[in-house]
Amino acid sequence: MRYPSEPYKIKVVEPFAVTTREQRQTFIEEAGYNTFLLKSEQVGIDLLTDSGTTAMSDNQWAGMMMGDEAYSGSRNFLHLQDIVRKYYGFKYIVPTHQGRGAENILSTLMIEDGDYVPGNMYFTTTRAHQERNGASFVDIIIEEAHNSQFDHPFKGNVDLAKLQDLINRVGADKIPYVCVAVTVNLAGGQPVSMQNLREVKALCSRHKIPVMFDATRCVENAFFIKEREEAYRDASIADILHEMMSYADGCTMSGKKDCLVNIGGFLCMNDHDLYQRATEIVVLFEGMPSYGGMAGRDMEAMARGIEESVDYHYIQHRVAQCRYLGDKLTEAGVPIVRPVGGHAVFLDARAFLPHLEQEKFPAQVLAAELYLESGVRSMERGIVSAGRNKQTGEHHKPKLELVRLTIPRRVYTYAHLDDVAEGVISLFKRRDQIKGLKMVYEPRLLRFFTARFEPLK
Ligand SMILES: Cc1ncc(COP(=O)(O)O)c(C=O)c1O
Ligand SMILES: N[C@@H](Cc1ccc(O)cc1)C(=O)O
């Protein structure tokens, strides 16, 4: 079954806005041509992000009523700890309010000024925390990942030669850890193979460098391993996930994605000393080590969400939804990142708008135009997201200039995706008329969230 039907019944519904083109013109101008700045009530189908936008199950909502809101020692924390140990296999867990809370603690504890943190492509918040603590990020993803049209089953893989080169160049003692994202968000939601994870771990062990995963979309990664790596065809998602995690010394987690909740995250590790230091610092930024910024009820929903996330039918349908939208767009000739990943379809803005150079922010304007055309909200993932080089102050100019159509978990149906495809295709037909933008307000940190633009004449 290529596109399995939804493996759930819909018990609660939430109407969304139906707007006119004239209204949307006003809204996008007020939002400075930045889809992050639109009000949710101005948006139709909302594909801005899959982060915190999940529909929770009846079982999770029931768990919300079982919240133990004690300041310390909540039973929901103990439950979450058991579940994380069972499915992820790490010894210690420190809850945080979301993924970047965990990134903050990890970077603060492990990085020293002048260090290098290699990773399989940058992620905005992850790199920002590394740089804030004095490290330079080094991209060690395979070269194919920077080419939107290159089909590769594991386009998120680490290039071991790039990693070895860095170790030779700067020395292992300047590399506090290697950060491996499973899957790679900005490459298009691309997975990492089990074999590659095993090899990265072996190489790092030889040099005594810890491996820390960004586990944000690890269940999607496990699905791709089952689908594409022969040895795992008959393995369960839970077993694959457990083995993946055995090749890491710890992880950061944005629970707002693969843990199927609206808020929350955690940091995991096997090293007791690191855990102890994390419990010291978490009280400064997040809260007690037994809640770290989450309410008891949120920890319960997360524990239950993790158990639901490893259900094969759930994850098969999730990935199939992305593929469905990607296939529709490909059939119509719309350029997208290939192959379609686990959480989104990414439009290739360079190929969509070949007449616009990167300094005219093609992906930014494409996201704004798609909203105007259809009421669908998407997100820029190109030069604006990439920010500026910390040393030179120049724009980073990523090879990938993309617009992300991100599918929230258990929220939309295939019929919604038909509407999205229709909007993109009708915009594609009038792509020649689209002009660029200029940035009129540029925040210093993570500028894409709040930057403002005006159309070029
Ligand atoms: C790959 C990846 N890592 C880290 C994060 C940070 O997580 P959060 O948004 O929960 O702070 C996100 C999303 O922001 C992400 O997609
Ligand atoms: N991690 C979330 C939220 C987010 C969005 C953009 C960012 O650059 C950072 C965080 C996402 O990928 O959608």
Side-chain angles (χ1 to χ4, degrees):
M1 214 186 316
R2 190 147 170 76
Y3 307 123
S5 61
E6 282 70 21
Y8 45 81
K9 294 189 281 184
I10 296 167
K11 185 144 42 185
V12 177
V13 296
E14 177 188 357
F16 58 73
V18 180
T19 52
T20 63
R21 194 187 169 89
E22 287 66 36
Q23 288 173 318
R24 293 196 292 274
Q25 182 67 51
T26 311
F27 298 151
I28 197 73
E29 276 169 27
E30 285 170 0
Y33 290 80
N34 184 347
T35 52
F36 274 106
L37 300 179
L38 289 166
K39 297 187 182 117
S40 154
E41 63 199 17
Q42 299 167 339
V43 173
I45 296 174
D46 198 348
L47 306 188
L48 181 70
T49 178
D50 62 332
S51 184
T53 51
T54 299
M56 290 208 297
S57 68
D58 52 357
N59 175 47
Q60 287 176 289
W61 279 107
M64 296 284 280
M65 290 304 291
M66 304 299 288
D68 170 359
E69 308 306 342
Y71 189 76
S72 178
S74 160
R75 67 169 171 260
N76 310 116
F77 169 68
L78 299 174
H79 183 204
L80 177 61
Q81 183 171 255
D82 284 347
I83 293 287
V84 171
R85 283 181 176 152
K86 176 173 170 194
Y87 289 99
Y88 291 70
F90 296 110
K91 283 196 193 137
Y92 307 109
I93 163 177
V94 181
T96 57
H97 73 285
Q98 61 184 79
R100 65 199 79 173
E103 290 171 347
N104 178 29
I105 294 173
L106 180 73
S107 308
T108 305
L109 291 180
M110 293 192 74
I111 293 173
E112 284 176 17
D113 211 21
D115 279 350
Y116 296 85
V117 182
N120 49 348
M121 200 168 270
Y122 87 99
F123 185 71
T124 54
T125 58
T126 319
R127 185 179 65 191
H129 278 294
Q130 292 161 358
E131 289 180 347
R132 187 166 174 268
N133 286 282
S136 301
F137 165 80
V138 182
D139 192 0
I140 53 162
I141 200 166
I142 56 170
E143 216 39 48
E144 289 87 339
H146 295 284
N147 178 345
S148 69
Q149 294 314 301
F150 200 98
D151 245 305
H152 187 297
F154 292 105
K155 228 175 163 180
N157 278 356
V158 168
D159 183 331
L160 295 160
K162 285 188 187 173
L163 177 54
Q164 183 67 62
D165 280 354
L166 180 74
I167 298 171
N168 296 345
R169 189 158 59 80
V170 303
D173 56 335
K174 284 274 171 213
I175 304 177
Y177 59 95
V178 174
C179 176
V180 181
V182 285
T183 59
V184 184
N185 189 350
L186 292 185
Q190 306 294 345
V192 184
S193 71
M194 194 74 92
Q195 190 186 332
N196 190 250
L197 294 177
R198 210 178 288 127
E199 288 168 351
V200 171
K201 181 64 184 151
L203 174 57
C204 288
S205 296
R206 284 201 291 281
H207 294 277
K208 298 197 170 48
I209 303 172
V211 176
M212 304 304 280
F213 283 177
D214 179 341
T216 296
R217 295 181 181 84
C218 56
V219 181
E220 290 164 14
N221 202 91
F223 175 82
F224 286 117
I225 288 177
K226 182 173 172 65
E227 186 182 63
R228 298 176 186 175
E229 222 169 329
E230 186 58 38
Y232 295 91
R233 186 169 291 174
D234 298 323
S236 69
I237 297 293
D239 285 348
I240 295 173
L241 183 61
H242 205 272
E243 183 179 337
M244 280 167 51
M245 295 300 166
S246 73
Y247 302 122
D249 298 284
C251 74
T252 54
M253 182 72 184
S254 169
K256 302 168 73 173
K257 285 83 162 177
D258 272 358
C259 300
L260 296 174
V261 287
N262 305 119
I263 194 71
F266 52 82
L267 172 65
C268 286
M269 65 286 279
N270 291 325
D271 181 75
H272 185 259
D273 178 56
L274 181 63
Y275 170 64
Q276 211 148 42
R277 289 190 297 132
T279 57
E280 287 165 16
I281 198 175
V282 75
V283 294
L284 189 60
F285 293 119
E286 306 278 333
M288 282 291 286
S290 59
Y291 74 84
M294 275 191 277
R297 56 180 171 270
D298 292 330
M299 292 190 281
E300 187 58 31
M302 183 183 275
R304 294 178 185 216
I306 290 173
E307 291 213 277
E308 292 175 16
S309 72
V310 296
D311 173 63
Y312 177 72
H313 299 289
Y314 149 71
I315 189 67
Q316 179 203 29
H317 168 262
R318 162 146 189 76
V319 175
Q321 279 204 328
C322 299
R323 213 164 272 171
Y324 177 81
L325 178 57
D327 288 349
K328 287 222 134 195
L329 295 177
T330 302
E331 274 162 33
V334 176
I336 62 167
V337 173
R338 308 223 42 87
V340 173
H343 68 307
V345 174
F346 288 71
L347 305 177
D348 183 343
R350 282 180 193 273
F352 202 112
L353 302 173
H355 56 286
L356 292 186
E357 57 261 42
Q358 206 169 14
E359 286 81 354
K360 292 187 178 160
F361 309 114
Q364 186 76 30
V365 74
L366 187 53
E369 287 283 343
L370 179 61
Y371 171 71
L372 267 174
E373 185 76 22
S374 61
V376 171
R377 172 153 71 166
S378 57
M379 184 193 292
E380 193 266 6
R381 299 279 72 179
I383 187 171
V384 183
S385 295
R388 289 181 185 273
N389 181 302
K390 185 172 75 142
Q391 266 92 36
T392 65
E394 296 290 310
H395 289 297
H396 283 296
K397 288 191 180 167
K399 290 200 183 119
L400 296 175
E401 180 71 26
L402 310 173
V403 169
R404 190 180 71 178
L405 303 164
T406 338
I407 318 277
R409 294 166 183 76
R410 305 191 292 207
V411 171
Y412 294 113
T413 64
Y414 291 104
H416 290 114
L417 301 177
D418 287 338
D419 286 354
V420 174
E422 206 175 290
V424 176
I425 292 164
S426 82
L427 185 61
F428 189 58
K429 289 186 182 141
R430 64 165 185 86
R431 61 190 182 281
D432 299 347
Q433 299 158 17
I434 299 176
K435 297 202 182 102
L437 296 172
K438 66 171 183 237
M439 205 183 323
V440 292
Y441 165 61
E442 180 178 355
R444 267 165 293 183
L445 276 177
L446 299 173
R447 61 183 183 180
F448 56 89
F449 282 129
T450 51
R452 301 184 71 84
F453 301 82
E454 280 173 9
L456 287 170
K457 296 281 173 276

